[in-house]
Amino acid sequence: HGKPCVLILTLNTDEWYAPSKDRLLQLYKYQHIHIEHKLIDDEIEQLFEKISNDEPKIRDIKDILIDRAKNPYECDRDILFILYVWFDKQFRKLDEIISEEIEKLNSEPDIRNLYLAIAVFHQYNFSPRISLCAEALDISITTFYGLRNKPIFKAFVNLSAGLETENIELASTRHSEFSRKILNGLMPEPEKQLEFMEKIFKNASQSDIQFVRDFLNYIYRYGASFTVEQVAKLKEATEKKLNKDYVLNHQFASYLIREKVRFDDARYYLDIALNEDPDNAAIIHSIGNLYFTLYKNELDKGNTPKATEYFNYAKEYFFRSRALMNMRDEHAYFTDIDMTKYRIT
């Protein structure tokens, strides 16, 4: 319905501290979560009755429209898609409506490209700054203000104030699932979508730092069908203006370690992060974790001397991390225990 609302979830500590794969979705500042609620049969019937009071003509084809509402290959019980179909003058299928929307966008190349720059992120429920998208596409201020006053812009793009300042306008599309369907028609190739993301990240400045951090962290946590090479391209795109951000460098290095790839790159980014924040216990812990991973790799190869060297480095960095945290139950303490158990077994 587009109205601001608050969702309150209650949870216990077992749910919160569950393994990462089963953990509740982490929320980010620049992310708008679509709470999925597929209508049950009774709700679809009630919705139909309400709408038919205003649009009596739809009663003549009730069975067809109800079937489309429930069909997993059409509306799939999504209320927004159902309304698109039921209020369509020709009562077309959803795919036909999507095709018409694509034709509208193709008729306005500037708005099409601006929409794509927004939709590649909003398909994951993230909203970039509209001015960042315009800048990345080399759209002048004069041209941009002309575009945003067009009815087609207002039909496809939603603008909302940033959470911290009303001077920042965040851009989204009408519906993240709708974005995916239009993207699949306009630009089905993942590599081309990636190119749009890279354009945005290359122009991202300090004003966009939290958006960039949050989006990449989302990719690191949930994958979202990105390969390691694609993730690396996105990270490299941020380095035009945000190359020294210790959070971005630390996040990326931790991702590489977790994926067990490009360990030299992981150490490179950890060193940059540590140089920017020398007393950050989390970064020092990650260096220890890198050496622990290298230790296990060398041990599996039967290279005991090298494995022992890495083991000792890991112990050293975990010790430094614990000293900085100054806590009894910090993460580094348990990692050190796990490492020792692994060596014993």
Side-chain angles (χ1 to χ4, degrees), residues 55 70 112 199 211 243 276 298 304 308 340:
E55 297 286 339
K70 297 178 182 178
R112 173 188 181 274
K199 281 183 182 179
F211 163 71
N243 60 313
E276 294 299 314
E298 293 300 325
T304 306
T308 303
T340 305

Side-chain angles (χ1 to χ4, degrees), residues 203-228:
N203 286 271
S205 63
Q206 203 61 37
S207 302
D208 309 292
I209 188 67
Q210 198 59 48
F211 163 71
V212 176
R213 287 175 179 175
D214 288 351
F215 182 75
L216 286 176
N217 197 35
Y218 174 85
I219 299 301
Y220 298 151
R221 286 173 63 89
Y222 304 108
S225 302
F226 285 81
T227 65
V228 172

Side-chain angles (χ1 to χ4, degrees), residues 44-207:
I44 292 175
E45 291 285 346
Q46 289 176 40
L47 183 64
F48 188 89
E49 289 304 314
K50 294 285 185 184
I51 293 174
S52 63
N53 290 335
D54 296 323
E55 297 286 339
K57 63 179 181 179
I58 72 172
R59 291 175 182 158
D60 297 337
I61 52 172
K62 177 179 179 179
D63 291 343
I64 293 173
L65 295 182
I66 293 289
D67 180 66
R68 288 183 179 173
K70 297 178 182 178
N71 191 327
Y73 300 103
E74 290 198 49
C75 299
D76 196 22
R77 300 178 180 270
D78 183 293
I79 187 169
L80 183 61
F81 290 157
I82 291 172
L83 296 177
Y84 271 125
V85 170
W86 288 1
F87 278 102
D88 184 60
K89 292 180 180 179
Q90 289 82 40
F91 302 115
R92 295 168 299 174
K93 292 184 177 181
L94 183 62
D95 287 345
E96 294 173 319
I97 297 173
I98 295 290
S99 295
E100 183 185 67
E101 302 285 83
I102 290 172
E103 286 179 15
K104 290 177 184 176
L105 285 167
N106 280 330
S107 69
E108 295 271 2
D110 283 342
I111 289 181
R112 173 188 181 274
N113 288 336
L114 196 56
Y115 178 87
L116 287 171
I118 298 165
V120 289
F121 291 105
H122 195 238
Q123 64 178 320
Y124 302 107
N125 295 300
F126 281 86
S127 299
R129 275 191 308 123
I130 185 64
S131 54
L132 169 63
C133 297
E135 181 185 347
L137 297 173
D138 293 323
I139 297 174
S140 69
I141 294 176
T142 304
T143 302
F144 171 67
Y145 278 106
L147 292 176
R148 67 180 291 162
N149 289 323
K150 289 188 174 185
I152 186 173
F153 178 93
K154 296 174 181 178
F156 281 94
V157 177
N158 293 327
L159 297 177
S160 59
L163 294 177
E164 293 181 345
T165 171
E166 293 186 358
N167 294 328
I168 293 178
E169 286 186 308
L170 305 181
S172 61
T173 61
R174 290 174 294 189
H175 187 306
S176 56
E177 186 59 36
F178 200 83
S179 299
R180 293 187 195 105
K181 290 181 180 296
I182 291 182
L183 272 173
N184 287 336
L186 283 173
M187 187 180 286
E189 305 90 343
E191 284 299 324
K192 289 187 177 179
Q193 293 185 25
L194 187 73
E195 287 175 11
F196 263 84
M197 291 181 179
E198 289 179 73
K199 281 183 182 179
I200 302 301
F201 278 1
K202 283 178 181 177
N203 286 271
S205 63
Q206 203 61 37
S207 302

Side-chain angles (χ1 to χ4, degrees), residues 281-311:
I283 297 172
I284 294 170
H285 178 272
S286 292
I287 297 175
N289 196 33
L290 170 61
Y291 279 121
F292 181 34
T293 303
L294 292 171
Y295 152 73
K296 290 189 286 187
N297 287 353
E298 293 300 325
L299 205 61
D300 291 342
K301 296 175 187 176
N303 189 351
T304 306
K306 196 66 177 176
T308 303
E309 180 184 342
Y310 286 143
F311 183 88

